[in-house]
């Protein structure tokens, strides 16, 4: 690591400055009441490159609700637990519909399209839960996040979890519907409880970029050299992030940014430039597909400037 100012440092601070000034900020999610309280003017960006250099700007040390970004990590844990058997319970095709849509589930006999739409993530959570108590599983997820980010301070925002638990009728419908097809094994309220709580994990851009490093480095933690997942699994998680990580905006994200990425309705996006960088951005205002509006624009600017799109310059 060097202390000299790099091209990456300059790019990150210029992009953050530009985003701060933009008037078009999208709409903060309000369907989870607690998320509606977040400042729409917040903006954070953190990039960790292959050498371990960290370039960060804006509100990069403010914790925010990672929401659906947690689904990358629960998918990783579930694959570790049951391996490819996971794909009997959930598909890996883009859904082409909203993050909380129920229509496809009926046509497809309760098997969700992919692990990143809500139904799929609830099915993945149910897989991790089997054989354990909800509290143990939440402890395991939190431990995994703290380990990956090398930061013991990461915690669940209980107010956000409670807020979603009170109002998550749509997710309850999805879970009950899947249960009726026998896709969920555990009591619906247990599975949903774990799901709402892992979505409510609060992290900063810096912590999230740290946690994403194993996906950049073929499954290894670059600092310790320790394997988190085998290279083939990291590659496949990245593939699902690329094709399904932004709900019905996944095609647009691939077109504009060109990286595997996962968004959350808290306004965060984790993006992976394989072999190059782990990137976390946070801008709470969302676009019509429920993805961070300025987060996507910032990532587009960054990948263009750094030449990081996986599809070429
Ligand atoms: N907890 C949120 C929900 O289930 C996650 C959605 C998201 O981040 O896209 O509605």
């Amino acid at each position: 690591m060097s202390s000299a100012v790099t091209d990456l440092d300059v790019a990150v601070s210029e992009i953050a400055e530009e985003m701060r000034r933009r008037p078009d900020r999208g709409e903060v999610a309000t369907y989870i009441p607690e998320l509606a309280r977040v400042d729409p003017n917040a903006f954070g960006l953190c990039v960790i490159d292959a050498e371990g250099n960290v370039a960060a700007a804006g509100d990069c040390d403010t914790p925010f609700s990672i929401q659906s970004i947690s689904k990358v990590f629960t998918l990783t844990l579930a694959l570790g637990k049951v391996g490819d058997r996971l794909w009997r319970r959930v598909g890996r095709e883009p859904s082409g519909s909203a993050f909380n849509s129920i229509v496809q589930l009926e046509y497809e006999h309760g098997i969700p399209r992919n692990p990143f739409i809500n139904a799929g993530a609830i099915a993945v959570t149910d897989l991790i839960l089997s054989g354990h108590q909800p509290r143990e599983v939440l402890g395991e997820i939190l431990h995994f996040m703290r380990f990956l980010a090398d930061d013991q301070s990461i915690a669940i925002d209980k107010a956000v979890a409670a807020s979603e638990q009170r109002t998550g009728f749509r997710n309850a419908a999805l879970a009950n519907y899947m249960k009726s097809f026998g896709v969920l094994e555990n009591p619906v309220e247990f599975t949903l409880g774990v799901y709402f709580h892992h979505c409510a994990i609060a992290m900063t851009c810096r912590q999230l970029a740290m946690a994403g490093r194993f996906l950049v480095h073929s499954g290894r933690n670059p600092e310790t050299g320790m394997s988190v997942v085998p290279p083939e699994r990291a590659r496949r998680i990245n593939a699902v992030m690329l094709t399904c990580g932004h709900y019905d905006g996944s095609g647009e994200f691939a077109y504009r940014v060109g990286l595997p990425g996962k968004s959350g309705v808290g306004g965060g996006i984790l993006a992976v430039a394989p072999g190059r960088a782990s990137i976390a951005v946070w801008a709470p205002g969302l676009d019509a597909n429920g993805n961070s509006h300025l987060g996507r624009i910032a990532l587009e600017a960054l990948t263009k400037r750094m030449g990081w799109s996986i599809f070429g310059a």
Side-chain angles (χ1 to χ4, degrees):
M1 282 192 231
S2 76
S3 54
V5 175
T6 63
D7 288 351
L8 178 61
D9 290 321
V10 175
V12 165
S13 55
E14 286 182 3
I15 291 168
E17 193 43 44
E18 200 187 311
M19 295 305 129
R20 265 210 181 284
R21 278 196 252 110
R22 281 182 76 123
D24 55 324
R25 309 204 71 86
E27 298 292 328
V28 171
T30 50
Y31 76 101
I32 301 175
E34 199 65 20
L35 294 184
R37 297 155 51 111
V38 175
D39 175 10
N41 294 316
F43 181 87
L45 177 61
C46 180
V47 184
I48 305 179
D49 73 10
E51 285 73 46
N53 299 306
V54 180
D59 303 308
C60 57
D61 290 311
T62 305
F64 62 90
S65 193
I66 68 168
Q67 291 295 321
S68 284
I69 305 172
S70 63
K71 298 171 183 175
V72 172
F73 302 96
T74 47
L75 172 65
T76 306
L77 284 173
L79 284 168
K81 186 175 171 188
V82 300
D84 282 344
R85 276 192 294 127
L86 177 129
W87 303 115
R88 291 189 205 153
R89 265 263 219 121
V90 56
R92 46 175 188 264
E93 290 295 340
S95 69
S97 43
F99 70 103
N100 55 4
S101 168
I102 199 163
V103 279
Q104 232 160 23
L105 271 184
E106 175 154 30
Y107 294 122
E108 298 178 3
H109 312 289
I111 303 290
R113 267 293 168 100
N114 68 64
F116 292 155
I117 50 172
N118 285 10
I122 293 168
V124 167
T125 300
D126 185 74
L127 261 172
I128 309 177
L129 179 57
S130 289
H132 302 279
Q133 292 302 317
R135 192 173 288 273
E136 290 167 5
V137 175
L138 275 172
E140 189 191 348
I141 298 169
L142 209 47
H143 179 80
F144 189 49
M145 300 311 299
R146 290 172 174 166
F147 162 75
L148 291 175
D150 193 17
D151 192 328
Q152 293 303 311
S153 70
I154 294 167
I156 292 170
D157 184 329
K158 298 246 171 61
V160 172
S163 181
E164 190 169 5
Q165 205 137 25
R166 271 196 308 274
T167 55
F169 303 112
R170 183 79 74 110
N171 285 323
L174 291 170
N176 280 293
Y177 202 58
M178 286 190 287
K179 182 82 178 169
S180 76
F181 282 100
V183 173
L184 302 189
E185 285 175 351
N186 299 282
V188 164
E189 60 277 21
F190 283 13
T191 302
L192 280 177
V194 175
Y195 171 78
F196 292 145
H197 280 79
H198 72 63
C199 285
I201 292 173
M203 288 171 78
T204 67
C205 287
R206 197 183 295 270
Q207 291 166 337
L208 204 52
M210 287 286 281
R213 291 171 307 168
F214 76 101
L215 292 170
V216 176
H217 300 283
S218 305
R220 270 179 317 99
N221 175 330
E223 220 166 84
T224 61
M226 254 164 72
S227 165
V228 179
V229 296
E232 183 182 64
R233 183 159 296 159
R235 175 167 55 80
R236 288 176 158 170
I237 294 169
N238 283 337
V240 183
M241 285 172 78
L242 181 80
T243 52
C244 311
H246 283 75
Y247 308 117
D248 208 9
S250 299
E252 186 70 6
F253 189 82
Y255 180 82
R256 293 192 175 276
V257 178
L259 295 179
K262 182 72 204 90
S263 69
V265 290
I269 302 176
L270 171 65
V272 176
R276 290 173 155 152
S278 176
I279 309 159
V281 64
W282 173 50
L286 308 179
D287 64 19
N289 289 317
N291 300 312
S292 173
H293 173 68
L294 287 183
R296 201 264 294 143
I297 292 173
L299 287 172
E300 182 177 1
L302 182 72
T303 47
K304 191 167 167 195
R305 229 165 128 158
M306 303 306 292
W308 280 348
S309 164
I310 61 170
F311 301 111

